[in-house]
Amino acid sequence: MADIIKLLPDHVANQIAAGEVVQRPSSVVKELLENALDSGAKSIKLIVKDGGKALIQVVDDGSGMSETDARLSFERHATSKIARAEDLFNLNTKGFRGEALASIAAVAHVDLQTRPRNSDTGTHIKIEGSKVVTQEIIATPVGTSISVKNLFFNIPARRNFLKSNQVELRHITDEFHRVALVHPEVAFQFYNNGSELFNLPHGNFRQRIVHVFGAKMNERLVPVTEETAVVNISGFICKPEFAKKGRGAQFFFANGRYIKSPYLNHAVNAAFEGLIKSDTHPGYFLFLEVSPSSIDINIHPTKTEVKFDDENTLYAILRSTIKHGLGQFNVIPALDFEHDKNLDTPYNYRNKEGILPTVVVDAGFNPFETRQSPNRRSAPSYQKQQVKGWEDLYKGQDDLDAPFSSVHFETSTEALEIFDKDETGFESQQKTFQLHRKFIVTTIKSGLLCINQNRAHQRVLYEKFLNTDSTKKGISQQLLFPQQLGFTRAEIAILRAIHEDLIALGFDIKFVDDEKLTITGIPNIMTESSIGAVFNELLRNHGKVHGADRGVVKSDIMAKSLCSTLAIKNGKPLDPDSQMALVNDLFGCEESKLDPFNKVIYVTIDTNDIEKKFI
């Protein structure tokens, strides 16, 4: 039998390894930033173009590399971090596997310029698809500048699977946040297509969080700290009232490395139990310092998933630490068992000032003017003044009643055949009632109709927003007092990208700077109090919006985001007129059976089914 097993060529092996290490442009950013930090850099600059597809460049002022080191750095399993297997259990650096640069060079055009501190000249290397094109001596500043161009140029199928530039930029920004947050002592700069997104100076951890997520984050942070024999915990958690539906501001760092741990995330949620809604998530920025021998960070190629020796103890310590932090800074309301609620001022009178009582005295009253018989009460000493001319108040009343008797009110809602009609053929007056402040019940020809008020209103708003976006003529109501909202630089960039779509829906927005915008007008079907919730929902779904290449899909996602936020919530009482108006609006929609998320809006109960209950 002929031999069928053979060694793969190096360039093929590197491409296979790249499939594990380089999943998308953000993977390249992560590896290059970590290498810059391992070199001892104090200032790092990140430059990307077209979502990292055209260019990813990292410039640092670290130790640099010699000519030999620069050439060996692109070989597989070449590293300066470890020398033996035991070193894997005592790691204090980021990149250590020695596959990153080799994998990146296998699927891109790489340009490296580096110079060590003890040398007057540097090295310039160009590599295309694992092949060294040129290597020469040049004059360059101390440190390293590495450029990765045309990612996946030799794997077209892999390049076609990349998302839009906005989606890839979002992933790059996430990786930048994870690296920049854990190293506040290093200055970072981030440029996208020539414009500056972040300029983070040196500072402490709290200052770095504020610089990344905006000044509004400063008031939300609650410090937590705990030192034990198992783990040292430090960092910040966000106050319960700022919990969000998304998981954006959730960061765990173990020994200076960003990690993902659903188990530890559950510990944080358990500490916030009872303080936040079940569908929201708290924000946190937590450092975990453990012994390097008690953590395994080599269980996944991206090194974001780790394994702790004693996760149960770590879970309990983390949960109690957060609970202690919430109580220490009076975030949790204190329980006072000696407090008597009967002594509290009633709610309606809390903001009112005390009014002194007044006494009215009748100066003409004389108790001795008449004598009172024992069997007969005396007549009052004064009589109320007669009111004359009161009949004149009702003159002409008969004339006023006549015009209104002939007034007929019109409605723009067409009569629907689903509702019952009387013997004359005219639609009988509908009666609706609200069940458990969640369902609207009304009668129809065949029996009863039970409508979910939240889903029905979502369908009504969804079709209104779709019609508005299709005509590009959203009706806007101007605000008497414009609102100014603060966002992070990344969020402002997202809002700039969907600015035209927001204008089409009826928003009137002016950007003040890279962290603030002013809202002077909103769609006429939303209220001023819901502005913050609407923008939070749009930003939470911004990945879906950016990933939508077609206009129809994009408008559909935006309409769903808006209708889910503005729709009437279950639990809100509705008066009969509002109930009937919602029923009429629902059956005026093109699709009345399903809400925008394909959930059933109403169910019918047949009269025969009701009669069977009485058999």
Side-chain angles (χ1 to χ4, degrees):
M1 180 178 178
D3 298 333
I4 59 175
I5 298 177
K6 56 185 178 182
L7 291 175
L8 289 173
D10 288 341
H11 69 280
V12 177
N14 288 337
Q15 288 185 3
I16 295 174
E20 296 181 354
V21 179
V22 185
Q23 299 176 356
R24 60 195 328 154
S26 60
S27 304
V28 178
V29 172
K30 175 180 180 295
E31 298 292 346
L32 297 184
L33 289 178
E34 288 182 348
N35 286 340
L37 290 170
D38 287 340
S39 69
K42 295 300 179 183
S43 178
I44 299 176
K45 183 185 297 184
L46 172 63
I47 303 170
V48 299
K49 290 183 179 180
D50 298 337
K53 301 174 185 177
L55 172 67
I56 299 173
Q57 183 178 5
V58 174
V59 183
D60 65 70
D61 60 352
S63 60
M65 292 182 288
S66 64
E67 183 179 358
T68 303
D69 289 342
R71 181 63 183 85
L72 284 176
S73 64
F74 291 98
E75 298 294 332
R76 292 191 67 197
H77 307 304
T79 178
S80 61
K81 315 298 173 58
I82 58 176
R84 51 184 181 174
E86 289 76 7
D87 294 339
L88 290 173
F89 303 100
N90 190 26
L91 288 171
N92 295 307
T93 58
K94 301 294 189 301
F96 60 88
R97 291 153 55 96
E99 291 184 331
L101 291 181
S103 301
I104 294 171
V107 293
H109 297 161
V110 179
D111 189 302
L112 172 69
Q113 298 181 23
T114 182
R115 172 193 159 195
R117 297 185 184 277
N118 56 359
S119 177
D120 296 331
T121 58
T123 304
H124 183 199
I125 298 177
K126 287 186 178 181
I127 300 178
E128 297 179 0
S130 295
K131 296 181 180 179
V132 178
V133 178
T134 60
Q135 178 174 345
E136 58 184 0
I137 298 175
I138 62 169
T140 184
V142 175
T144 301
S145 172
I146 182 169
S147 302
V148 178
K149 304 175 182 178
N150 305 323
L151 190 62
F152 299 127
F153 77 99
N154 52 356
I155 312 179
R158 188 72 177 275
R159 188 177 177 89
N160 291 336
F161 275 98
L162 295 178
K163 303 297 183 181
S164 64
N165 293 344
Q166 291 291 344
V167 174
E168 296 300 338
L169 177 62
R170 179 171 61 87
H171 286 285
I172 292 175
T173 304
D174 290 341
E175 290 294 346
F176 178 80
H177 288 170
R178 295 166 184 174
V179 175
L181 284 173
V182 75
H183 294 281
E185 73 282 358
V186 179
F188 286 89
Q189 291 177 292
F190 183 10
Y191 296 89
N192 174 52
N193 293 335
S195 61
E196 183 183 83
L197 293 184
F198 293 94
N199 189 350
L200 309 178
H202 307 273
N204 55 38
F205 188 39
R206 189 182 191 115
Q207 292 172 338
R208 178 56 55 88
I209 295 175
V210 172
H211 284 142
V212 172
F213 292 97
K216 62 181 180 180
M217 183 63 71
N218 190 35
E219 62 176 352
R220 305 180 182 182
L221 300 178
V222 177
V224 294
T225 179
E226 186 68 38
E227 295 184 3
T228 66
V230 178
V231 60
N232 293 335
I233 301 175
S234 61
F236 298 91
I237 56 176
C238 294
K239 296 178 182 179
E241 58 265 31
F242 297 105
K244 296 183 178 181
K245 292 186 177 181
R247 299 176 180 267
Q250 292 187 339
F251 295 89
F252 274 121
F253 302 102
N255 292 355
R257 183 190 303 273
Y258 171 80
I259 64 170
K260 296 178 181 179
S261 177
Y263 187 65
L264 296 183
N265 180 72
H266 188 275
V268 177
N269 291 333
F272 278 87
E273 186 177 2
L275 299 176
I276 61 176
K277 296 181 181 179
S278 58
D279 59 342
T280 59
H281 306 278
Y284 53 82
F285 308 86
L286 297 174
F287 282 102
L288 307 177
E289 293 292 335
V290 299
S291 173
S293 60
S294 65
I295 180 175
D296 186 0
I297 59 178
N298 198 28
I299 64 174
H300 194 272
T302 60
K303 302 185 287 295
T304 56
E305 298 179 11
V306 299
K307 180 69 175 177
F308 295 96
D309 285 349
D310 192 358
E311 287 189 334
N312 294 332
T313 303
L314 192 59
Y315 181 99
I317 295 175
L318 180 61
R319 180 174 177 269
S320 61
T321 299
I322 294 176
K323 276 187 169 293
H324 177 69
L326 291 172
Q328 183 180 5
F329 291 91
N330 297 324
V331 177
I332 300 177
L335 297 177
D336 187 0
F337 295 99
E338 298 181 357
H339 179 70
D340 188 359
K341 293 185 177 180
N342 295 325
L343 300 179
D344 290 343
T345 303
Y347 180 80
N348 293 335
Y349 295 90
R350 288 180 181 177
N351 298 325
K352 294 183 179 180
E353 297 180 356
I355 302 176
L356 293 176
T358 58
V359 179
V360 180
V361 179
D362 184 8
F365 176 70
N366 186 359
F368 301 102
E369 185 175 351
T370 58
R371 292 185 180 181
Q372 185 175 356
S373 173
N375 297 327
R376 183 179 178 182
R377 294 182 179 179
S378 61
S381 59
Y382 60 92
Q383 298 290 335
K384 293 184 179 179
Q385 185 178 1
Q386 294 289 336
V387 179
K388 297 181 180 180
W390 60 270
E391 299 91 345
D392 297 338
L393 296 174
Y394 298 95
K395 285 184 177 180
Q397 183 65 31
D398 296 337
D399 298 334
L400 292 175
D401 292 339
F404 285 95
S405 62
S406 61
V407 173
H408 298 281
F409 294 94
E410 296 182 355
T411 175
S412 59
T413 306
E414 298 180 359
L416 303 174
E417 295 182 356
I418 188 174
F419 296 107
D420 200 2
K421 297 182 180 180
D422 56 19
E423 297 178 355
T424 62
F426 293 98
E427 184 179 338
S428 61
Q429 184 178 5
Q430 294 300 315
K431 298 294 184 181
T432 62
F433 69 90
Q434 195 176 25
L435 180 63
H436 298 308
R437 295 185 176 182
K438 183 177 182 180
F439 304 102
I440 297 175
V441 181
T442 185
T443 57
I444 56 175
K445 290 180 180 180
S446 60
L448 291 178
L449 184 70
C450 187
I451 303 172
N452 185 302
Q453 65 182 35
N454 174 256
R455 297 180 183 178
H457 199 210
Q458 284 189 26
R459 167 53 65 177
V460 173
L461 293 178
Y462 174 73
E463 293 199 3
K464 286 185 178 179
F465 280 121
L466 277 186
N467 294 334
T468 299
D469 188 77
S470 61
T471 58
K472 300 296 181 182
K473 294 181 180 179
I475 301 176
S476 176
Q477 56 176 338
Q478 295 299 306
L479 299 178
L480 182 61
F481 300 101
Q483 287 193 13
Q484 188 174 90
L485 301 180
F487 298 96
T488 64
R489 290 175 177 264
E491 291 172 342
I492 289 292
I494 295 169
L495 295 175
R496 288 183 186 274
I498 60 175
H499 187 205
E500 294 182 0
D501 301 281
L502 294 175
I503 293 177
L505 291 173
F507 287 97
D508 192 353
I509 301 174
K510 296 179 181 178
F511 293 93
V512 180
D513 52 30
D514 291 338
E515 294 186 355
K516 294 179 183 179
L517 59 81
T518 301
I519 301 175
T520 58
I522 58 177
N524 63 335
I525 57 177
M526 67 176 286
T527 60
E528 186 175 350
S529 59
S530 61
I531 293 177
V534 166
F535 276 85
N536 288 335
E537 185 69 15
L538 285 173
L539 291 173
R540 191 172 71 89
N541 295 329
H542 71 274
K544 299 177 182 178
V545 175
H546 285 160
D549 295 329
R550 294 178 300 172
V552 176
V553 178
K554 191 174 183 179
S555 60
D556 177 78
I557 296 173
M558 294 188 67
K560 288 181 179 178
S561 300
L562 292 171
C563 74
S564 63
T565 305
L566 301 176
I568 298 171
K569 301 298 186 290
N570 290 329
K572 181 178 181 179
L574 299 177
D575 57 75
D577 292 338
S578 299
Q579 297 171 21
M580 201 62 216
L582 181 58
V583 173
N584 292 333
D585 289 342
L586 172 63
F587 289 100
C589 295
E590 295 181 3
E591 170 59 63
S592 59
K593 294 182 179 180
L594 300 176
D595 72 352
F597 305 96
N598 293 325
K599 295 181 181 179
V600 177
I601 296 177
Y602 65 85
V603 294
T604 58
I605 303 176
D606 193 82
T607 306
N608 296 330
D609 294 335
I610 299 176
E611 291 179 351
K612 291 178 182 179
K613 299 292 183 181
F614 294 93
I615 298 177

